[in-house]
Amino acid sequence: MAVSKSNKKKQSYISVPSQIINPISSASLESLLLSPKKKSGHQSHGFSSRFRFCWKSPRFWLFLVSVFGFFGMMRIFFDFDPVVPFLRNPCSNVEDKSLLSMSSVSATQLSAVENEVKMVGSMDTVRDGDEVNVDEESEFWKQPDGLGYRPCLEFTREYRRTSVDVVKDRTKYLMVVVSGGMNQQRNQIVDAVVIARILGAALVVPILQVNVIWGDESEFADIFDLEHFKKVLENDVRIVSSLPSTHVMTRPVEEKMTRLYASPQWIRSRYHRKIRREGVLLLRSLDSRLSKDLPSDLQKLRCKVAFHALRFAPPILELGNKLTERMRSKGPYLALHLRMEKDVWVRTGCLPGLTQEYDEMINNERIERPELLTSRSNMTFHERKLAGLCPLNALEVARLLKALGAPKTARIFWAGGNPLGGKEALLPLTTEFPHFFNKEDLALPGELEPFQKKASLMAAIDYIVSENSDVFMPSHGGNMGHAIQGHRAYAGHKKTITPNKRQMFSHFMNSSLPEAEFSKIIFALHKDSLGQPELRNSKTGRDVTKYPIPECMCNKKQPQSASQSSSSSQ
């Protein structure tokens, strides 16, 4: 900035862009900007002589060409406007925004810069190395159309009439022993309530068999809210904590061999006379013993038990909800139920795809204990893979999620036991999706300690966080995946990805398929497997707690049929 002085000390200013101050020497600036007024004729004459000298000097013209050339280059390369910097009051006190304006940024440009700075600032907000999720509007988080389906457990008049006698009865009691993991036990408890209803008996709180694999000695009330369970079902089946004194010395009739997929008629014909005579019936191993195709009222009772009565115990529910809030604190999240434990690979007859050492370990254990293989022992690993019988490994999960449009910034909660191979087995997934957490990562010090040595309680926490997620995907089937799928459908058809393993594995194995084409094919295969409403009765043998339509959900456009509303549980 140059200053012209006079005797009156009058000041005038010319604002010079900061970009050109350094390249131009102070002498050059002075020769351009100093224009002293005439003090005498001699001074005026000297000025005219110097001006004519400069006008004829080649150096003067070279300087002008250099200046105009410099401005031209600034305009071409930096979108520099030589008019903007000449401000009305360049010496006024300015804030940072005014400084931006003096650097040739227009008001519109300034607004754009501010918005960009805010965006960058929000992206830089980090907690524990986790970036803010800026992909909340991604198509991946879009929920399926629920078609207006809502829960509707309206029992028939006949069911409600007989309920009075069932609840009042004090002569018949059903005891059940349920086995397996938490989700397997959950399914058996649902069926135990329905069997008690069929027999018109009171249900003694189910006994949870000690799990020989995990050594979990949890009781019913450790996992589920017992008082809530009793209250919700008080008009359907009487629930008692123990046998009354009138029956405590009675030796129960024990039945170990309930047939698979038994109908209500078979249950009555087989057990009704015995329970009336002895007063107490003891059933074991109820897994898949009761038919999946029951009268409408009994299907509704199944849903009532699974989705309303079996609420987790308050300590589990409290911690599960806290972890859910921590996952959702930075936007939507995906829950994965990963089935990559050693026993899963052994039982399914599949290989983990890690190293030859791990494959040999699984093969050897399968040879030593052939009874662990659940089915189809005559199939090779490759045949099982193509038939869709194998769990997805970490690499396959990552490729599937990418093909379905999951953003790299997606926050993922993973449920399940420790995978064979440890954290290294998860590397293909965690490299592609670095915001990867399990309950141990989310819990504060000491929060998991009361549940640490009880596998059923830990599974219940996984269940809560997974069920509450924006998107859920299991890497394999199984009781937990099926239960959560049904729970999410009942809650309004929240997005649930069901991997189409039977059709997609051939494309996974095609190494010559371009990635873009692979993604297009995989996306097309799953467009109808994202949790949309699906009728249970479109295929026989489906579990209503996995497919709650039409027995347990309806909409105003499609009311329940007359046959459903009049069907009797008796």
Side-chain angles (χ1 to χ4, degrees):
M1 188 176 294
V3 181
S4 176
K5 297 181 180 181
S6 67
N7 291 336
K8 297 181 180 181
K9 296 185 180 180
K10 185 177 180 179
Q11 296 180 336
S12 61
Y13 302 89
I14 298 177
S15 177
V16 180
S18 61
Q19 294 93 329
I20 68 172
I21 290 176
N22 292 332
I24 303 176
S25 67
S26 58
S28 300
L29 284 173
E30 189 175 352
S31 65
L32 281 174
L33 301 177
L34 286 177
S35 52
K37 292 185 178 181
K38 296 179 183 179
K39 292 184 180 180
S40 64
H42 175 75
Q43 288 179 334
S44 177
H45 176 74
F47 175 81
S48 301
S49 299
R50 285 196 302 270
F51 183 82
R52 283 194 299 270
F53 173 76
C54 290
W55 186 259
K56 295 179 180 181
S57 173
R59 290 184 179 181
F60 176 79
W61 288 106
L62 181 61
F63 177 78
L64 286 180
V65 171
S66 299
V67 171
F68 283 110
F70 179 84
F71 274 96
M73 290 175 64
M74 293 291 290
R75 187 171 183 84
I76 292 173
F77 292 105
F78 300 101
D79 195 24
F80 177 77
D81 190 347
V83 177
V84 174
F86 291 85
L87 303 177
R88 187 172 297 177
N89 187 14
C91 288
S92 62
N93 294 326
V94 291
E95 298 179 357
D96 291 343
K97 293 181 182 179
S98 299
L99 291 173
L100 283 173
S101 297
M102 291 174 65
S103 298
S104 71
V105 180
S106 65
T108 305
Q109 290 170 319
L110 175 60
S111 177
V113 169
E114 288 179 326
N115 292 336
E116 186 174 351
V117 169
K118 288 178 181 178
M119 182 177 294
V120 171
S122 64
M123 290 177 65
D124 287 339
T125 303
V126 176
R127 186 178 68 89
D128 296 333
D130 185 22
E131 292 183 4
V132 174
N133 191 343
V134 294
D135 293 296
E136 292 188 25
E137 300 304 319
S138 169
E139 188 74 13
F140 180 77
W141 304 114
K142 185 178 180 181
Q143 298 297 312
D145 185 355
L147 301 178
Y149 279 101
R150 294 291 181 270
C152 54
L153 300 180
E154 296 179 7
F155 294 92
T156 63
R157 182 178 301 176
E158 178 66 13
Y159 179 92
R160 296 194 302 271
R161 185 184 66 79
T162 56
S163 293
V164 178
D165 295 331
V166 170
V167 173
K168 285 183 178 180
D169 190 281
R170 298 292 188 275
T171 63
K172 302 187 294 290
Y173 292 88
L174 175 65
M175 299 179 66
V176 296
V177 178
V178 298
S179 58
M182 189 275 292
N183 290 288
Q184 194 174 357
Q185 291 174 341
R186 191 174 178 275
N187 292 340
Q188 294 172 60
I189 293 168
V190 171
D191 283 356
V193 173
V194 176
I195 292 173
R197 172 74 193 202
I198 291 172
L199 296 174
L203 176 66
V204 181
V205 173
I207 301 166
L208 275 55
Q209 184 174 310
V210 176
N211 194 299
V212 294
I213 298 177
W214 299 291
D216 190 345
E217 299 181 359
S218 299
E219 298 180 358
F220 185 97
D222 295 326
I223 305 173
F224 302 105
D225 188 334
L226 179 55
E227 294 307 313
H228 178 81
F229 182 71
K230 291 179 178 180
K231 184 172 181 59
V232 171
L233 297 174
E234 62 185 359
N235 296 322
D236 304 276
V237 175
R238 192 163 70 94
I239 310 293
V240 296
S241 297
S242 59
L243 288 173
S245 58
T246 54
H247 290 69
V248 80
M249 299 302 294
T250 303
R251 184 175 181 178
V253 179
E254 185 173 351
E255 288 284 346
K256 298 180 181 179
M257 295 300 294
T258 301
R259 65 178 291 181
L260 284 171
Y261 309 119
S263 67
Q265 292 77 18
W266 189 92
I267 296 289
R268 290 193 195 94
S269 64
R270 178 82 176 185
Y271 300 137
H272 196 263
R273 184 178 298 178
K274 293 179 180 180
I275 196 172
R276 285 187 63 185
R277 184 179 68 244
E278 302 296 337
V280 181
L281 175 67
L282 173 61
L283 298 179
R284 296 179 183 272
S285 304
L286 289 180
D287 195 23
S288 298
R289 298 294 165 176
L290 185 61
S291 172
K292 303 301 181 187
D293 298 306
L294 299 175
S296 179
D297 282 328
L298 294 182
Q299 297 287 56
K300 287 180 171 62
L301 180 57
R302 263 182 167 153
C303 291
K304 188 173 183 179
V305 180
F307 304 137
H308 295 277
L310 282 176
R311 187 171 71 185
F312 290 114
I316 299 173
L317 197 60
E318 181 182 0
L319 181 56
N321 289 334
K322 282 182 180 178
L323 301 189
T324 297
E325 291 171 5
R326 290 168 195 169
M327 279 301 300
R328 182 160 288 128
S329 64
K330 293 186 180 297
Y333 71 94
L334 160 71
L336 287 178
H337 184 217
L338 297 179
R339 304 301 310 279
M340 297 169 57
E341 303 96 319
K342 179 181 176 181
D343 68 295
V344 174
W345 296 117
V346 173
R347 287 188 293 103
T348 57
C350 301
L351 298 177
L354 298 172
T355 63
Q356 186 175 352
E357 179 184 356
Y358 283 113
D359 288 349
E360 288 178 358
M361 179 195 302
I362 298 300
N363 275 326
N364 291 338
E365 185 150 352
R366 198 175 293 136
I367 292 171
E368 293 173 5
R369 303 181 63 188
E371 72 277 5
L372 294 177
L373 187 60
T374 51
S375 64
R376 304 188 190 184
S377 57
N378 60 330
M379 295 178 69
T380 66
F381 157 67
H382 187 73
E383 290 170 338
R384 287 174 176 274
K385 193 86 167 174
L386 290 176
L389 300 176
C390 292
L392 299 175
N393 60 32
L395 177 60
E396 291 158 349
V397 170
R399 292 192 70 192
L400 175 57
L401 290 176
K402 282 182 64 180
L404 295 179
K408 190 175 181 67
T409 55
R411 292 166 57 79
I412 297 178
F413 174 83
W414 71 278
N418 292 325
L420 177 66
K423 291 186 177 180
E424 289 186 6
L426 297 173
L427 276 178
L429 187 52
T430 56
T431 301
E432 193 64 44
F433 300 98
H435 308 301
F436 201 75
F437 311 90
N438 63 7
K439 52 187 175 291
E440 284 81 6
D441 299 320
L442 297 171
L444 300 178
E447 281 186 323
L448 283 176
E449 190 173 343
F451 316 99
Q452 201 75 54
K453 296 182 180 180
K454 296 187 176 183
S456 294
L457 307 191
M458 297 289 272
I461 294 170
D462 276 344
Y463 189 105
I464 294 169
V465 185
S466 298
E467 197 281 318
N468 287 330
S469 65
D470 298 272
V471 181
F472 172 73
M473 188 182 86
S475 68
H476 194 48
N479 293 304
M480 179 169 170
H482 293 168
I484 291 179
Q485 176 180 332
H487 217 138
R488 292 171 67 83
Y490 194 76
H493 291 93
K494 295 190 290 184
K495 187 171 183 177
T496 303
I497 301 169
T498 304
N500 191 341
K501 293 185 289 185
R502 185 183 294 272
Q503 295 186 46
M504 75 182 189
F505 266 131
S506 60
H507 302 292
F508 273 78
M509 296 177 178
N510 185 358
S511 58
S512 64
L513 189 65
E515 195 66 21
E517 185 66 20
F518 169 82
S519 297
K520 185 177 179 180
I521 292 172
I522 297 301
F523 189 87
L525 286 177
H526 290 85
K527 65 179 181 179
D528 297 322
S529 303
L530 304 176
Q532 298 94 333
E534 192 170 352
L535 296 178
R536 185 195 72 85
N537 51 16
S538 62
K539 292 183 180 179
T540 58
R542 283 183 164 181
D543 191 341
V544 71
T545 59
K546 183 180 179 183
Y547 300 96
I549 300 175
E551 288 92 349
C552 303
M553 299 184 76
C554 53
N555 59 28
K556 294 180 180 179
K557 296 179 182 178
Q558 297 176 330
Q560 291 178 291
S561 64
S563 62
Q564 288 175 344
S565 60
S566 62
S567 64
S568 171
S569 64
Q570 306 300 311

